[in-house]
Amino acid sequence: MTVPAEANVCIVGAGAAGLMAAVAAGRSLKATGASGTIVALDGAKTLGAKILVAGGGRCNVTHWRVTESEYAVNRPAVRSVLRRFGADETVHFFDQLGVELKREETGKLFPVTDSARTVLNALLRAVQDAGASIVHPARVTGVSRSEQGFTVTGAWGSMRAARVILATGGMALPRSGSDGAGYEFARTLGHSLTPAIRPALVPLTLPSGHWITELSGLTIHAELVLRGPTGKRLVHFANSTLCTHFGLSGPSVLDISRYLLDARDREPGTTLILNWMPGESADAADAWLLAAKGRGLLTVLRERLPERLARAILVQARLAPDATVQQTPREARRTLVELLVATSLPIEGDRGFTHAEVTAGGVPIEEVDLGSMESLACPGLSLCGEVLDVDGRIGGFNFQWAWATGWIAGQAAARAIAAIPQPTA
Ligand SMILES: Cc1cc2nc3c(=O)[nH]c(=O)nc-3n(C[C@H](O)[C@H](O)[C@H](O)COP(=O)(O)OP(=O)(O)OC[C@H]3O[C@@H](n4cnc5c(N)ncnc54)[C@H](O)[C@@H]3O)c2cc1C
């Protein structure tokens, strides 16, 4: 299909937010009885790449309980959006499309088929049923506005549109088609961008040869704590933690990454601490060691830690595996306790957008009307999804943001079109 010369609503980007916007706009327009064309343009050859890879190919669609506290920034704004379209609305929406969701122990919701393809196919069908269309690959290279409306351009030509919904995503996983082009469109249409646009939910790197990198492949339930320069606990996450050849990954690391990267810029002296025995304090760990009289330290540590890790920690503490706690000088015991509950991580950096799941930063949410997602800087333009400066933790919260804002933007754009007097025959 070629790009039409005109549309009432042009949606730039057909990822999670753009597809949702297309469904909502199409359905709303039908409901009002007005006529109009809704066209989504996407630069990708294969649609929905992120939906397909999400949740390890199972697509963690949302979470059974979504509140603003799961998001890192702009919580009052997030609350306002979730009130309009929260997790219940997402479950109901997908249920109507025939996609039944199941809740897992973690609270995450997945399709009962355990296949992300079910989610994508249902969305594509819903776009069609709503009377909207998707053209791809049709990469957009410019969006401009004049008194007559918008002109959307690409190597394929140009399209005029009364309204534009910007759903271009952020910069995570750029090979999926989301490479940050949307930020430039927003900027040229009058928006500002946050001073930093960084990878979030991203693995972290340690110096080459750091002892944790030698534990590559080891997964453990651990706690990560971000401490401010005064030692104050700023944020913490306890979850599965994976040691890798480059550093650390796994849900706890991904969740804390955006806070670490952000704090590093704003608060030099911030440190990331790893507790291999989540919930245990230094005093409790010390008491536990002291209670293990007469037994070798490795035997004792193995009660709570995998043997590889226990051995590595003893090497770091310069203690022999068969030494007993009585044979261990007080200072060495203190070092051991510190390694167990407060290993300091000299994080070098992150694995970048290629390995990130989302983007922290973007168009400030204060620049849109939360009831319609319409731009306050450029009338007729709406923004939804990750292009906005909102990111959540792992668990389905980022898709929830995309579904919710896409829905609101699509509905409002269609209502605005329906309100424009239709030409009489
Ligand atoms: C590996 C991975 C796993 C993830 N797993 C989960 C999960 O299980 N649960 C969860 O909640 N979140 C998950 N996320 C995050 C989630 O995928 C995103 O938050 C969500 O996709 C954002 O939706 P969006 O529509 O705003 O952006 P995107 O999904 O990135 O869609 C943007 C679309 O715009 C198109 N586009 C961009 N620029 C242009 C242009 N110039 N012209 C035309 N088209 C353009 C792109 O091709 C793309 O199709 C995961 C992300 C990754 C990378």
Side-chain angles (χ1 to χ4, degrees), residues 18-284:
L19 290 172
M20 195 61 160
V23 176
R27 285 187 187 175
S28 300
L29 207 58
K30 270 192 180 176
T32 61
S35 60
T37 47
I38 295 147
V39 181
L41 304 177
D42 200 292
K45 245 194 206 152
T46 312
L47 286 179
K50 270 191 205 170
I51 293 174
L52 291 178
V53 297
R58 297 196 302 135
C59 191
N60 173 200
V61 173
T62 187
H63 195 274
W64 81 277
R65 187 163 180 272
V66 183
T67 67
E68 66 277 12
S69 60
E70 314 297 351
Y71 297 83
V73 280
N74 298 314
R75 287 181 178 156
V78 173
R79 181 170 59 235
S80 165
V81 165
L82 292 174
R83 258 200 232 123
R84 292 179 168 87
F85 196 97
D88 288 350
E89 282 74 18
T90 299
V91 171
H92 178 68
F93 172 82
F94 280 102
D95 189 54
Q96 277 189 326
L97 299 187
V99 181
E100 195 189 332
L101 301 177
K102 61 173 174 181
R103 173 177 160 184
E104 299 208 331
E105 247 176 44
T106 53
K108 296 177 183 178
L109 301 191
F110 290 90
V112 291
T113 57
D114 278 328
S115 167
R117 177 63 66 183
T118 316
V119 176
L120 179 60
N121 286 353
L123 279 166
L124 294 175
R125 252 192 336 264
V127 171
Q128 207 180 5
D129 292 347
S133 54
I134 307 171
V135 186
H136 75 105
R139 188 169 169 78
V140 172
T141 53
V143 183
S144 61
R145 192 178 194 286
S146 67
E147 273 184 13
Q148 286 73 45
F150 293 89
T151 305
V152 180
T153 47
W156 37 268
S158 69
M159 179 166 99
R160 290 194 298 133
R163 301 188 71 92
V164 165
I165 299 179
L166 202 55
T168 42
M171 289 174 72
L173 199 70
R175 69 184 156 81
S176 68
S178 314
D179 58 2
Y183 297 133
E184 199 45 35
F185 304 152
R187 224 178 44 76
T188 53
L189 292 168
H191 281 280
S192 69
L193 297 174
T194 54
I197 295 183
R198 295 195 192 86
L201 300 184
V202 65
L204 298 172
T205 57
L206 286 164
S208 156
H210 187 276
W211 64 275
I212 289 178
T213 64
E214 282 158 21
L215 295 170
S216 184
L218 184 132
T219 303
I220 185 169
H221 185 82
E223 183 184 33
L224 282 158
V225 183
L226 186 65
R227 290 196 186 280
T230 60
K232 184 179 168 208
R233 276 165 75 102
L234 300 178
V235 60
H236 62 103
F237 289 96
N239 209 330
S240 176
T241 305
L242 170 68
C243 303
T244 74
H245 64 283
F246 58 77
L248 288 157
S249 190
S252 62
V253 176
L254 301 190
D255 277 336
I256 211 155
S257 60
R258 65 103 56 226
Y259 295 95
L260 172 75
L261 300 171
D262 183 49
R264 273 188 164 187
D265 277 1
R266 290 190 293 109
E267 271 191 286
T270 313
T271 48
L272 189 60
I273 305 294
L274 200 166
N275 185 343
W276 300 100
M277 304 198 314
E280 293 291 3
S281 65
D283 287 347

